[in-house]
Amino acid sequence: MNKIIVIFLLFCGIDVYSQKLDEHNSNMIDSMNHILITTNNDSSYLKALHTVVETYMRINHDTVSQLIEKGIFEAQNRTTFGYQGQFLEHKAKYLRIKHQFDSSIYYYQMAGIKHLEVKDSFSYMGGLINMANVYKAQGNFEKAINNFIMGIKYYERFDDPKHQQRALIGKFNLANIYMPLKEYEKNAEINLEIVSHPLTKKNKVLYAKTCINLSGVLPKLNRLEEALFYAREAEKRTKGKNSLAHIYNNFGNIYEKKKEYNKSIENYNKALNNYQSIKSTSGVIRANNNLGNVHSKMKKFDKAEEYLLLSNELILSGGSSISSLQSNYEMLIEANEGQKDFEGAFRYSMKLKEIKDSIMGIDMKKALLEVETKYETEKAIQQKELAQANELISSEKAENSRKMSIGALIFAGVTALLLFFIFNRLKVIRKQKRELDKAYEMLEESKRYELAASNLKALKSQMNPHFIFNSLNSIQDLIMQQDTVSSYDYIVLFAELVRNTLTYSNNEFIPIQKEIDFLTVYLKLEKLRFGDEFNYKIEAEELDNILVPSLIIQPFLENSLKHG
């Protein structure tokens, strides 16, 4: 019955997505299908199902989810630990694609346990590297780097091509982490090590991708001729339009730094054509921004604005991140200033300000100071102009002492103009006052936001995530050692600690006895984890009716244990 369910899913998937499968994949699915129907051998059945899952992982994630669950179920029923680990890794990869990173890490860890049970260290270390990519996607670069280094060191212990190839791929991924960290020297060093390895020369895909990376990072170190060499190497070995677009984009950047702007424009246009052909909105935005920037450097500001506005329209329609919009506005300001269109430059400056505020928060003290300074300046100007007007009136009166009729007319005209001027100045002052009031309101709102953020930060810091993961790892070790009593005690203490943390975090103050009870549970957990290496004793007297800030002592104890 179980086999019939699998076959039904396969046929449904093939029927719906047959247009997406190439001939090779279709033939492979048919072959695996036949094995699933006819075989009674556990290993052959699970191997065929594993192959089908790998194929559908590239085609349709919804269908593959059902097949993965089927694979986990079948592997458990057949007590085949090796395949249990593989299907759990498929589950982790599927969750990573769905951006469910915490769940993905959990299933990679479970897969690792199964790999260790069958002493498959090769697959175990591969899982660590895959987990590093999840940490990278989370922005947890420290853990990602540690996992990559562990995997690389393991694979480098072996001289065979299979292990060495895995080490090179691990280094490739490790190098990519250093780009967002702006550690360009490390990125270049690792990529140069990869590209010079004999196995890399035999792997055309890895060689081409490494050359692309080098052509992107070396210009940041002003090593332009080297960057040009690797860009040409990548171009010779690349056919995919997406990769070619990146290569031409790197060419454009290199020639831009060399101030060979015509060549730069030519390559940026090639990149743009490739991005458009694969319908990559973010790529089109990048290419248009680059073209706009180069034209600005050539003082062709009208052409620069044309490209930048195309990019701006795509970004505002949701085609890229807010940082791309910020960069776009900065270049539009430069283009408008180059055309002496200061009104346009001011307009984009205001939009850029809004973007920066949304990224970094509003610096209200500075804004308030600017408003107050502007108000005082305008007020001084008004007083000066009013004094000048009064001097003019006095002068006119003296002059008109001999010509009363003409003087009266002149006086009336000057007075009317003066009143009109003062009325307009008062309107400006009132408007500035409204802006000042609004700034005060924004400042108050910002303070409330900062207070809420501080409270949230305090709540999150109440229990160190490293301690939680250490506790979970300790529980896992006890379970693996089949120490049921200790693992049960550990889980009970850990649950009580978490429950108390969530309960007490809502109270500003708690009785000191409850604080001591909380610390006792925490220290018991640390005692279970460290064993005889750690001992403690709590002494307290006459503690009735004493309140202390909730959970204030635990962070100091944790830091003492960690750094003492």
Side-chain angles (χ1 to χ4, degrees), residues 99-144:
H99 298 282
Q100 298 177 27
F101 298 126
D102 289 336
S103 298
S104 176
I105 289 170
Y106 168 78
Y107 278 100
Y108 273 126
Q109 290 173 339
M110 296 302 294
I113 293 172
K114 296 300 179 184
H115 291 319
L116 290 177
E117 287 178 357
V118 295
K119 299 181 180 180
D120 184 0
S121 56
F122 182 85
S123 297
Y124 174 78
M125 299 308 294
L128 278 185
I129 288 180
N130 290 331
M131 202 187 311
N133 284 316
V134 183
Y135 285 132
K136 177 185 173 184
Q138 285 183 314
N140 192 339
F141 296 123
E142 182 180 355
K143 283 191 175 182

Short mmCIF file of all heavy atoms in Angstrom, two decimals, residues 99-144:
data_model
loop_
_atom_site.label_atom_id
_atom_site.label_comp_id
_atom_site.label_asym_id
_atom_site.label_seq_id
_atom_site.Cartn_x
_atom_site.Cartn_y
_atom_site.Cartn_z
N HIS A 99 13.02 29.14 3.57
CA HIS A 99 13.46 30.17 4.51
C HIS A 99 13.01 29.89 5.95
O HIS A 99 12.89 30.81 6.76
CB HIS A 99 12.97 31.56 4.09
CG HIS A 99 13.51 32.00 2.76
ND1 HIS A 99 14.79 32.49 2.60
CD2 HIS A 99 12.95 31.98 1.52
CE1 HIS A 99 14.99 32.76 1.33
NE2 HIS A 99 13.90 32.47 0.66
N GLN A 100 12.79 28.62 6.28
CA GLN A 100 12.50 28.23 7.65
C GLN A 100 13.82 27.76 8.27
O GLN A 100 14.07 26.56 8.46
CB GLN A 100 11.44 27.13 7.68
CG GLN A 100 10.10 27.57 7.09
CD GLN A 100 9.08 26.45 7.07
OE1 GLN A 100 9.12 25.52 7.87
NE2 GLN A 100 8.14 26.53 6.13
N PHE A 101 14.68 28.73 8.61
CA PHE A 101 16.07 28.44 8.91
C PHE A 101 16.26 27.66 10.22
O PHE A 101 17.10 26.77 10.30
CB PHE A 101 16.87 29.74 8.93
CG PHE A 101 16.87 30.45 7.61
CD1 PHE A 101 16.49 31.78 7.52
CD2 PHE A 101 17.23 29.79 6.45
CE1 PHE A 101 16.48 32.44 6.30
CE2 PHE A 101 17.23 30.44 5.23
CZ PHE A 101 16.85 31.77 5.16
N ASP A 102 15.52 28.03 11.26
CA ASP A 102 15.68 27.33 12.54
C ASP A 102 15.31 25.85 12.41
O ASP A 102 16.00 24.97 12.93
CB ASP A 102 14.81 27.99 13.62
CG ASP A 102 15.34 29.35 14.03
OD1 ASP A 102 16.55 29.57 13.86
OD2 ASP A 102 14.56 30.19 14.50
N SER A 103 14.20 25.59 11.72
CA SER A 103 13.79 24.20 11.51
C SER A 103 14.81 23.47 10.64
O SER A 103 15.09 22.29 10.86
CB SER A 103 12.41 24.16 10.85
OG SER A 103 11.43 24.74 11.69
N SER A 104 15.35 24.16 9.65
CA SER A 104 16.37 23.55 8.79
C SER A 104 17.57 23.11 9.60
O SER A 104 18.08 21.99 9.44
CB SER A 104 16.79 24.54 7.71
OG SER A 104 17.82 24.00 6.91
N ILE A 105 18.04 23.97 10.52
CA ILE A 105 19.20 23.63 11.35
C ILE A 105 18.88 22.41 12.22
O ILE A 105 19.72 21.51 12.38
CB ILE A 105 19.59 24.84 12.23
CG1 ILE A 105 20.21 25.93 11.35
CG2 ILE A 105 20.57 24.43 13.32
CD1 ILE A 105 20.40 27.24 12.06
N TYR A 106 17.66 22.35 12.76
CA TYR A 106 17.27 21.23 13.60
C TYR A 106 17.38 19.91 12.82
O TYR A 106 17.94 18.92 13.32
CB TYR A 106 15.84 21.42 14.09
CG TYR A 106 15.25 20.17 14.73
CD1 TYR A 106 15.59 19.81 16.03
CD2 TYR A 106 14.36 19.37 14.03
CE1 TYR A 106 15.06 18.67 16.62
CE2 TYR A 106 13.82 18.23 14.61
CZ TYR A 106 14.17 17.88 15.90
OH TYR A 106 13.64 16.76 16.46
N TYR A 107 16.86 19.89 11.59
CA TYR A 107 16.89 18.64 10.81
C TYR A 107 18.30 18.30 10.33
O TYR A 107 18.63 17.11 10.20
CB TYR A 107 15.91 18.74 9.63
CG TYR A 107 14.49 18.43 10.05
CD1 TYR A 107 13.58 19.45 10.28
CD2 TYR A 107 14.07 17.12 10.24
CE1 TYR A 107 12.28 19.17 10.69
CE2 TYR A 107 12.78 16.83 10.64
CZ TYR A 107 11.89 17.86 10.86
OH TYR A 107 10.62 17.58 11.27
N TYR A 108 19.15 19.29 10.10
CA TYR A 108 20.55 18.99 9.79
C TYR A 108 21.22 18.32 11.00
O TYR A 108 22.03 17.40 10.84
CB TYR A 108 21.31 20.25 9.40
CG TYR A 108 21.22 20.59 7.93
CD1 TYR A 108 20.79 21.84 7.49
CD2 TYR A 108 21.57 19.66 6.95
CE1 TYR A 108 20.70 22.15 6.15
CE2 TYR A 108 21.49 19.96 5.59
CZ TYR A 108 21.06 21.21 5.20
OH TYR A 108 20.97 21.52 3.87
N GLN A 109 20.90 18.79 12.19
CA GLN A 109 21.47 18.18 13.40
C GLN A 109 20.97 16.75 13.58
O GLN A 109 21.76 15.86 13.94
CB GLN A 109 21.10 19.04 14.62
CG GLN A 109 21.81 20.39 14.65
CD GLN A 109 21.31 21.28 15.76
OE1 GLN A 109 20.20 21.10 16.28
NE2 GLN A 109 22.10 22.28 16.13
N MET A 110 19.68 16.52 13.34
CA MET A 110 19.14 15.16 13.44
C MET A 110 19.77 14.25 12.40
O MET A 110 20.08 13.08 12.69
CB MET A 110 17.62 15.20 13.26
CG MET A 110 16.86 15.96 14.35
SD MET A 110 17.15 15.30 16.00
CE MET A 110 16.38 13.69 15.83
N ALA A 111 19.97 14.78 11.20
CA ALA A 111 20.63 13.98 10.16
C ALA A 111 22.05 13.63 10.57
O ALA A 111 22.53 12.51 10.34
CB ALA A 111 20.64 14.75 8.84
N GLY A 112 22.74 14.59 11.22
CA GLY A 112 24.10 14.35 11.68
C GLY A 112 24.17 13.20 12.67
O GLY A 112 25.11 12.39 12.64
N ILE A 113 23.18 13.12 13.56
CA ILE A 113 23.15 12.02 14.54
C ILE A 113 23.05 10.67 13.82
O ILE A 113 23.74 9.71 14.16
CB ILE A 113 21.96 12.21 15.50
CG1 ILE A 113 22.20 13.44 16.38
CG2 ILE A 113 21.76 10.97 16.36
CD1 ILE A 113 21.00 13.83 17.23
N LYS A 114 22.17 10.61 12.81
CA LYS A 114 22.01 9.37 12.05
C LYS A 114 23.28 9.00 11.29
O LYS A 114 23.66 7.83 11.21
CB LYS A 114 20.83 9.49 11.08
CG LYS A 114 19.47 9.69 11.76
CD LYS A 114 19.14 8.53 12.68
CE LYS A 114 17.80 8.73 13.36
NZ LYS A 114 17.50 7.66 14.33
N HIS A 115 23.97 10.02 10.73
CA HIS A 115 25.23 9.74 10.02
C HIS A 115 26.28 9.19 10.98
O HIS A 115 27.04 8.28 10.62
CB HIS A 115 25.76 11.02 9.37
CG HIS A 115 24.93 11.50 8.21
ND1 HIS A 115 24.40 10.65 7.27
CD2 HIS A 115 24.54 12.77 7.83
CE1 HIS A 115 23.72 11.34 6.37
NE2 HIS A 115 23.78 12.62 6.70
N LEU A 116 26.33 9.73 12.20
CA LEU A 116 27.31 9.24 13.17
C LEU A 116 26.99 7.82 13.62
O LEU A 116 27.90 7.04 13.93
CB LEU A 116 27.35 10.18 14.38
CG LEU A 116 27.95 11.57 14.13
CD1 LEU A 116 27.87 12.42 15.39
CD2 LEU A 116 29.41 11.45 13.68
N GLU A 117 25.69 7.48 13.68
CA GLU A 117 25.30 6.13 14.09
C GLU A 117 25.83 5.06 13.13
O GLU A 117 26.11 3.94 13.54
CB GLU A 117 23.78 6.03 14.20
CG GLU A 117 23.21 6.75 15.43
CD GLU A 117 21.70 6.68 15.48
OE1 GLU A 117 21.10 6.11 14.54
OE2 GLU A 117 21.10 7.19 16.45
N VAL A 118 25.95 5.43 11.86
CA VAL A 118 26.48 4.48 10.88
C VAL A 118 27.94 4.79 10.54
O VAL A 118 28.49 4.28 9.58
CB VAL A 118 25.62 4.48 9.59
CG1 VAL A 118 24.23 3.98 9.88
CG2 VAL A 118 25.57 5.87 8.96
N LYS A 119 28.55 5.70 11.34
CA LYS A 119 29.97 6.08 11.18
C LYS A 119 30.27 6.63 9.79
O LYS A 119 31.33 6.37 9.22
CB LYS A 119 30.86 4.88 11.49
CG LYS A 119 30.70 4.36 12.91
CD LYS A 119 31.62 3.18 13.20
CE LYS A 119 31.44 2.69 14.64
NZ LYS A 119 32.32 1.54 14.95
N ASP A 120 29.31 7.41 9.28
CA ASP A 120 29.49 8.05 7.97
C ASP A 120 29.96 9.48 8.19
O ASP A 120 29.19 10.44 8.15
CB ASP A 120 28.17 8.03 7.19
CG ASP A 120 28.32 8.59 5.78
OD1 ASP A 120 29.44 9.00 5.41
OD2 ASP A 120 27.30 8.65 5.06
N SER A 121 31.26 9.62 8.49
CA SER A 121 31.81 10.95 8.81
C SER A 121 31.80 11.86 7.59
O SER A 121 31.68 13.09 7.72
CB SER A 121 33.23 10.81 9.35
OG SER A 121 34.05 10.11 8.42
N PHE A 122 31.91 11.30 6.38
CA PHE A 122 31.90 12.11 5.17
C PHE A 122 30.58 12.87 5.05
O PHE A 122 30.54 14.08 4.83
CB PHE A 122 32.11 11.20 3.94
CG PHE A 122 32.16 11.94 2.64
CD1 PHE A 122 33.35 12.49 2.18
CD2 PHE A 122 31.03 12.08 1.86
CE1 PHE A 122 33.40 13.17 0.97
CE2 PHE A 122 31.07 12.76 0.65
CZ PHE A 122 32.26 13.30 0.22
N SER A 123 29.46 12.15 5.20
CA SER A 123 28.14 12.79 5.11
C SER A 123 27.90 13.73 6.29
O SER A 123 27.27 14.78 6.15
CB SER A 123 27.04 11.74 5.06
OG SER A 123 27.15 10.94 3.90
N TYR A 124 28.43 13.35 7.46
CA TYR A 124 28.26 14.20 8.65
C TYR A 124 28.90 15.56 8.43
O TYR A 124 28.29 16.61 8.70
CB TYR A 124 28.87 13.52 9.87
CG TYR A 124 28.85 14.37 11.11
CD1 TYR A 124 27.69 14.53 11.86
CD2 TYR A 124 30.01 15.05 11.52
CE1 TYR A 124 27.67 15.33 13.00
CE2 TYR A 124 30.00 15.84 12.65
CZ TYR A 124 28.83 15.98 13.39
OH TYR A 124 28.82 16.78 14.49
N MET A 125 30.13 15.59 7.93
CA MET A 125 30.82 16.86 7.71
C MET A 125 30.17 17.64 6.57
O MET A 125 30.12 18.87 6.60
CB MET A 125 32.30 16.61 7.41
CG MET A 125 33.05 15.92 8.53
SD MET A 125 32.87 16.68 10.17
CE MET A 125 33.68 18.24 9.90
N GLY A 126 29.64 16.90 5.57
CA GLY A 126 28.89 17.59 4.51
C GLY A 126 27.67 18.31 5.07
O GLY A 126 27.33 19.42 4.65
N GLY A 127 27.01 17.67 6.05
CA GLY A 127 25.87 18.31 6.71
C GLY A 127 26.28 19.56 7.47
O GLY A 127 25.55 20.55 7.50
N LEU A 128 27.47 19.54 8.10
CA LEU A 128 27.96 20.73 8.80
C LEU A 128 28.15 21.90 7.84
O LEU A 128 27.80 23.05 8.16
CB LEU A 128 29.30 20.42 9.48
CG LEU A 128 29.28 19.71 10.84
CD1 LEU A 128 30.70 19.61 11.39
CD2 LEU A 128 28.39 20.44 11.83
N ILE A 129 28.69 21.60 6.65
CA ILE A 129 28.89 22.67 5.67
C ILE A 129 27.55 23.19 5.17
O ILE A 129 27.35 24.40 4.99
CB ILE A 129 29.77 22.16 4.51
CG1 ILE A 129 31.22 22.02 5.00
CG2 ILE A 129 29.70 23.09 3.31
CD1 ILE A 129 32.19 21.54 3.97
N ASN A 130 26.59 22.27 4.93
CA ASN A 130 25.26 22.72 4.52
C ASN A 130 24.61 23.57 5.61
O ASN A 130 23.93 24.56 5.31
CB ASN A 130 24.38 21.51 4.21
CG ASN A 130 24.80 20.79 2.95
OD1 ASN A 130 25.35 21.41 2.04
ND2 ASN A 130 24.56 19.50 2.88
N MET A 131 24.82 23.19 6.87
CA MET A 131 24.28 23.97 7.98
C MET A 131 24.93 25.35 8.01
O MET A 131 24.29 26.35 8.38
CB MET A 131 24.53 23.23 9.29
CG MET A 131 23.57 23.66 10.41
SD MET A 131 24.01 22.92 12.02
CE MET A 131 24.22 21.20 11.58
N ALA A 132 26.20 25.43 7.63
CA ALA A 132 26.89 26.73 7.60
C ALA A 132 26.21 27.68 6.63
O ALA A 132 26.10 28.88 6.88
CB ALA A 132 28.36 26.53 7.20
N ASN A 133 25.72 27.14 5.50
CA ASN A 133 25.00 27.99 4.54
C ASN A 133 23.70 28.52 5.13
O ASN A 133 23.27 29.63 4.80
CB ASN A 133 24.73 27.20 3.26
CG ASN A 133 25.96 27.06 2.40
OD1 ASN A 133 26.71 28.00 2.22
ND2 ASN A 133 26.19 25.86 1.88
N VAL A 134 23.07 27.73 6.02
CA VAL A 134 21.86 28.21 6.69
C VAL A 134 22.21 29.33 7.66
O VAL A 134 21.53 30.37 7.71
CB VAL A 134 21.14 27.07 7.44
CG1 VAL A 134 19.84 27.58 8.07
CG2 VAL A 134 20.83 25.91 6.50
N TYR A 135 23.29 29.13 8.43
CA TYR A 135 23.73 30.19 9.34
C TYR A 135 24.06 31.47 8.56
O TYR A 135 23.77 32.58 9.01
CB TYR A 135 24.97 29.74 10.12
CG TYR A 135 24.69 28.74 11.22
CD1 TYR A 135 25.45 27.58 11.35
CD2 TYR A 135 23.66 28.96 12.14
CE1 TYR A 135 25.20 26.66 12.37
CE2 TYR A 135 23.40 28.05 13.16
CZ TYR A 135 24.17 26.91 13.27
OH TYR A 135 23.92 26.01 14.28
N LYS A 136 24.67 31.29 7.40
CA LYS A 136 25.00 32.45 6.56
C LYS A 136 23.73 33.18 6.13
O LYS A 136 23.67 34.42 6.17
CB LYS A 136 25.78 31.98 5.32
CG LYS A 136 26.11 33.09 4.34
CD LYS A 136 26.78 32.52 3.11
CE LYS A 136 26.97 33.60 2.04
NZ LYS A 136 27.54 33.02 0.79
N ALA A 137 22.70 32.43 5.74
CA ALA A 137 21.43 33.04 5.33
C ALA A 137 20.78 33.78 6.50
O ALA A 137 20.10 34.77 6.31
CB ALA A 137 20.49 31.97 4.79
N GLN A 138 21.00 33.29 7.73
CA GLN A 138 20.46 33.95 8.93
C GLN A 138 21.25 35.20 9.30
O GLN A 138 20.79 36.00 10.10
CB GLN A 138 20.49 33.00 10.12
CG GLN A 138 19.41 31.92 10.11
CD GLN A 138 19.47 31.08 11.37
OE1 GLN A 138 20.53 30.64 11.79
NE2 GLN A 138 18.31 30.84 11.97
N GLY A 139 22.44 35.36 8.71
CA GLY A 139 23.30 36.46 9.10
C GLY A 139 24.19 36.13 10.29
O GLY A 139 24.86 36.99 10.83
N ASN A 140 24.20 34.85 10.70
CA ASN A 140 25.03 34.41 11.82
C ASN A 140 26.39 33.97 11.24
O ASN A 140 26.69 32.78 11.13
CB ASN A 140 24.36 33.25 12.56
CG ASN A 140 25.02 32.93 13.89
OD1 ASN A 140 26.19 33.28 14.10
ND2 ASN A 140 24.30 32.28 14.77
N PHE A 141 27.21 34.97 10.89
CA PHE A 141 28.44 34.69 10.16
C PHE A 141 29.47 33.95 11.01
O PHE A 141 30.26 33.17 10.49
CB PHE A 141 29.04 36.00 9.62
CG PHE A 141 28.15 36.68 8.63
CD1 PHE A 141 27.72 37.97 8.83
CD2 PHE A 141 27.74 36.03 7.48
CE1 PHE A 141 26.91 38.61 7.91
CE2 PHE A 141 26.92 36.65 6.55
CZ PHE A 141 26.50 37.94 6.78
N GLU A 142 29.47 34.20 12.33
CA GLU A 142 30.45 33.53 13.20
C GLU A 142 30.26 32.02 13.17
O GLU A 142 31.22 31.26 12.97
CB GLU A 142 30.31 34.07 14.62
CG GLU A 142 31.32 33.47 15.58
CD GLU A 142 31.18 34.00 17.00
OE1 GLU A 142 30.36 34.91 17.21
OE2 GLU A 142 31.89 33.49 17.88
N LYS A 143 29.01 31.56 13.36
CA LYS A 143 28.76 30.12 13.33
C LYS A 143 29.00 29.55 11.93
O LYS A 143 29.49 28.43 11.79
CB LYS A 143 27.32 29.84 13.78
CG LYS A 143 27.11 29.94 15.27
CD LYS A 143 25.75 29.40 15.68
CE LYS A 143 25.59 29.39 17.19
NZ LYS A 143 24.29 28.83 17.62
N ALA A 144 28.62 30.31 10.90
CA ALA A 144 28.83 29.83 9.53
C ALA A 144 30.32 29.61 9.27
O ALA A 144 30.72 28.57 8.74
CB ALA A 144 28.26 30.84 8.54
#
